[in-house]
Short mmCIF file of all heavy atoms in Angstrom, two decimals:
data_model
loop_
_atom_site.label_atom_id
_atom_site.label_comp_id
_atom_site.label_asym_id
_atom_site.label_seq_id
_atom_site.Cartn_x
_atom_site.Cartn_y
_atom_site.Cartn_z
N LEU G 1466 -48.31 -13.79 5.95
CA LEU G 1466 -47.65 -12.66 6.64
C LEU G 1466 -46.38 -13.10 7.30
O LEU G 1466 -45.33 -12.33 7.20
CB LEU G 1466 -48.60 -12.12 7.67
CG LEU G 1466 -49.80 -11.31 7.18
CD1 LEU G 1466 -50.73 -10.91 8.37
CD2 LEU G 1466 -49.38 -10.09 6.38
N ARG G 1488 -18.47 -1.48 2.18
CA ARG G 1488 -17.57 -0.61 3.00
C ARG G 1488 -16.13 -1.16 3.10
O ARG G 1488 -15.17 -0.39 3.00
CB ARG G 1488 -18.19 -0.50 4.43
CG ARG G 1488 -19.37 0.45 4.54
CD ARG G 1488 -19.66 0.81 5.91
NE ARG G 1488 -19.97 -0.28 6.76
CZ ARG G 1488 -21.17 -0.78 6.93
NH1 ARG G 1488 -22.24 -0.14 6.36
NH2 ARG G 1488 -21.41 -1.80 7.69
N ASN G 1489 -16.05 -2.49 3.35
CA ASN G 1489 -14.73 -3.10 3.38
C ASN G 1489 -13.98 -2.92 2.06
O ASN G 1489 -12.75 -2.65 2.06
CB ASN G 1489 -14.82 -4.56 3.75
CG ASN G 1489 -15.36 -4.80 5.15
OD1 ASN G 1489 -15.21 -3.89 6.02
ND2 ASN G 1489 -15.93 -5.94 5.42
N LYS G 1501 -0.98 7.73 0.28
CA LYS G 1501 -0.18 8.32 -0.76
C LYS G 1501 -0.35 9.83 -0.87
O LYS G 1501 0.62 10.57 -0.88
CB LYS G 1501 -0.48 7.68 -2.12
CG LYS G 1501 0.11 8.35 -3.36
CD LYS G 1501 -0.28 7.71 -4.58
CE LYS G 1501 0.14 8.52 -5.85
NZ LYS G 1501 -0.59 9.79 -5.96
N VAL G 1526 7.40 32.93 -6.32
CA VAL G 1526 7.55 32.25 -7.63
C VAL G 1526 6.99 30.82 -7.56
O VAL G 1526 6.21 30.37 -8.40
CB VAL G 1526 9.04 32.18 -8.06
CG1 VAL G 1526 9.26 31.24 -9.22
CG2 VAL G 1526 9.49 33.59 -8.43
N LEU G 1534 -0.07 25.99 -12.61
CA LEU G 1534 0.09 24.72 -13.31
C LEU G 1534 -0.91 23.67 -12.71
O LEU G 1534 -1.49 22.94 -13.44
CB LEU G 1534 1.51 24.23 -13.21
CG LEU G 1534 2.57 25.05 -13.94
CD1 LEU G 1534 3.96 24.44 -13.75
CD2 LEU G 1534 2.26 25.19 -15.35
N TYR G 1535 -1.10 23.71 -11.38
CA TYR G 1535 -2.01 22.69 -10.83
C TYR G 1535 -3.44 23.03 -11.27
O TYR G 1535 -4.25 22.08 -11.50
CB TYR G 1535 -1.84 22.72 -9.27
CG TYR G 1535 -0.63 22.17 -8.74
CD1 TYR G 1535 -0.08 22.52 -7.50
CD2 TYR G 1535 0.15 21.28 -9.50
CE1 TYR G 1535 1.12 22.04 -7.03
CE2 TYR G 1535 1.38 20.72 -9.04
CZ TYR G 1535 1.85 21.11 -7.77
OH TYR G 1535 2.99 20.64 -7.34
N ILE G 1540 -8.00 21.26 -14.76
CA ILE G 1540 -8.93 21.35 -15.90
C ILE G 1540 -8.60 20.28 -16.97
O ILE G 1540 -9.58 19.57 -17.40
CB ILE G 1540 -8.79 22.76 -16.59
CG1 ILE G 1540 -9.09 23.85 -15.60
CG2 ILE G 1540 -9.68 22.88 -17.76
CD1 ILE G 1540 -8.77 25.26 -16.08
N ILE G 1550 -15.39 7.10 -14.74
CA ILE G 1550 -16.84 6.83 -14.71
C ILE G 1550 -17.22 5.63 -15.54
O ILE G 1550 -18.00 4.77 -15.18
CB ILE G 1550 -17.62 8.12 -15.11
CG1 ILE G 1550 -17.42 9.13 -14.02
CG2 ILE G 1550 -19.07 7.78 -15.25
CD1 ILE G 1550 -18.04 10.54 -14.40
N PRO G 1553 -14.88 1.45 -15.33
CA PRO G 1553 -15.21 0.34 -14.46
C PRO G 1553 -16.49 -0.38 -14.92
O PRO G 1553 -16.81 -1.44 -14.41
CB PRO G 1553 -15.45 1.08 -13.12
CG PRO G 1553 -14.62 2.27 -13.18
CD PRO G 1553 -14.73 2.75 -14.63
N HIS G 1559 -9.70 -6.62 -19.56
CA HIS G 1559 -8.77 -6.89 -20.62
C HIS G 1559 -9.47 -7.06 -21.95
O HIS G 1559 -8.81 -7.56 -22.94
CB HIS G 1559 -7.98 -8.19 -20.28
CG HIS G 1559 -7.25 -8.06 -18.99
ND1 HIS G 1559 -6.18 -7.22 -18.74
CD2 HIS G 1559 -7.51 -8.73 -17.76
CE1 HIS G 1559 -5.81 -7.35 -17.50
NE2 HIS G 1559 -6.58 -8.27 -16.85
N PHE G 1588 5.17 31.06 -23.79
CA PHE G 1588 4.57 32.26 -23.25
C PHE G 1588 4.64 32.39 -21.69
O PHE G 1588 3.84 33.10 -21.07
CB PHE G 1588 3.03 32.26 -23.64
CG PHE G 1588 2.81 32.20 -25.12
CD1 PHE G 1588 2.32 31.07 -25.69
CD2 PHE G 1588 3.10 33.28 -25.92
CE1 PHE G 1588 2.13 30.98 -27.06
CE2 PHE G 1588 2.89 33.22 -27.30
CZ PHE G 1588 2.41 32.13 -27.84
N TYR G 1597 0.22 38.24 -13.31
CA TYR G 1597 0.67 38.32 -11.94
C TYR G 1597 1.57 39.60 -11.71
O TYR G 1597 2.08 39.78 -10.61
CB TYR G 1597 1.49 37.08 -11.55
CG TYR G 1597 0.65 35.84 -11.61
CD1 TYR G 1597 0.81 34.89 -12.68
CD2 TYR G 1597 -0.27 35.53 -10.66
CE1 TYR G 1597 0.03 33.80 -12.71
CE2 TYR G 1597 -1.07 34.43 -10.68
CZ TYR G 1597 -0.87 33.50 -11.74
OH TYR G 1597 -1.63 32.37 -11.83
N LEU G 1627 -2.07 6.42 -16.24
CA LEU G 1627 -1.57 5.19 -15.79
C LEU G 1627 -2.09 4.82 -14.40
O LEU G 1627 -2.51 3.68 -14.18
CB LEU G 1627 -0.05 5.14 -15.86
CG LEU G 1627 0.58 5.38 -17.24
CD1 LEU G 1627 2.08 5.57 -17.11
CD2 LEU G 1627 0.23 4.26 -18.17
N ALA G 1681 8.90 11.92 -13.38
CA ALA G 1681 9.26 11.07 -14.50
C ALA G 1681 9.49 9.64 -13.96
O ALA G 1681 9.13 8.69 -14.65
CB ALA G 1681 10.51 11.58 -15.14
N SER G 1700 -2.26 -3.02 -31.00
CA SER G 1700 -3.21 -3.39 -32.02
C SER G 1700 -4.61 -2.74 -31.82
O SER G 1700 -5.53 -3.10 -32.50
CB SER G 1700 -3.40 -4.94 -32.05
OG SER G 1700 -3.85 -5.44 -30.76
N GLU G 1720 -14.67 22.74 -13.48
CA GLU G 1720 -13.33 22.91 -12.92
C GLU G 1720 -12.83 24.31 -13.19
O GLU G 1720 -12.20 24.96 -12.27
CB GLU G 1720 -12.39 21.86 -13.40
CG GLU G 1720 -10.94 21.94 -12.82
CD GLU G 1720 -10.87 21.66 -11.36
OE1 GLU G 1720 -11.70 21.04 -10.81
OE2 GLU G 1720 -9.89 22.29 -10.72
N LEU G 1721 -13.05 24.79 -14.40
CA LEU G 1721 -12.57 26.10 -14.86
C LEU G 1721 -13.16 27.19 -13.98
O LEU G 1721 -12.51 28.10 -13.52
CB LEU G 1721 -12.95 26.29 -16.29
CG LEU G 1721 -12.51 27.65 -16.91
CD1 LEU G 1721 -10.95 27.76 -16.91
CD2 LEU G 1721 -13.12 27.80 -18.30
N VAL G 1729 -6.58 31.29 -9.65
CA VAL G 1729 -5.62 32.16 -10.37
C VAL G 1729 -5.84 33.64 -9.88
O VAL G 1729 -4.89 34.36 -9.62
CB VAL G 1729 -5.82 32.03 -11.90
CG1 VAL G 1729 -5.04 33.13 -12.63
CG2 VAL G 1729 -5.32 30.69 -12.41
N LEU G 1731 -7.24 34.68 -7.12
CA LEU G 1731 -6.86 34.82 -5.74
C LEU G 1731 -5.37 34.89 -5.53
O LEU G 1731 -4.86 35.73 -4.82
CB LEU G 1731 -7.44 33.65 -4.93
CG LEU G 1731 -7.16 33.66 -3.39
CD1 LEU G 1731 -7.72 34.86 -2.70
CD2 LEU G 1731 -7.67 32.37 -2.76
N LEU G 1735 -3.14 37.90 -3.96
CA LEU G 1735 -2.29 37.76 -2.79
C LEU G 1735 -0.88 38.08 -3.08
O LEU G 1735 -0.13 38.58 -2.19
CB LEU G 1735 -2.41 36.26 -2.30
CG LEU G 1735 -3.76 35.96 -1.58
CD1 LEU G 1735 -3.87 34.48 -1.36
CD2 LEU G 1735 -3.96 36.73 -0.38
N ALA G 1745 1.86 32.79 4.17
CA ALA G 1745 0.92 32.31 5.19
C ALA G 1745 -0.24 31.61 4.57
O ALA G 1745 -0.78 30.56 5.02
CB ALA G 1745 0.47 33.47 6.04
N GLN G 1747 -0.20 29.99 1.65
CA GLN G 1747 0.26 28.73 1.17
C GLN G 1747 0.29 27.64 2.28
O GLN G 1747 -0.07 26.50 2.06
CB GLN G 1747 1.64 28.84 0.53
CG GLN G 1747 1.61 29.47 -0.83
CD GLN G 1747 0.93 28.68 -1.90
OE1 GLN G 1747 -0.21 28.99 -2.31
NE2 GLN G 1747 1.50 27.64 -2.36
#
Side-chain angles (χ1 to χ4, degrees):
L1466 291 174
R1488 283 196 299 270
N1489 293 336
K1501 169 183 171 291
V1526 167
L1534 294 179
Y1535 290 157
I1540 297 171
I1550 293 173
H1559 303 291
F1588 302 108
Y1597 299 104
L1627 299 173
S1700 59
E1720 180 64 27
L1721 180 65
V1729 169
L1731 179 62
L1735 289 172
Q1747 286 294 106

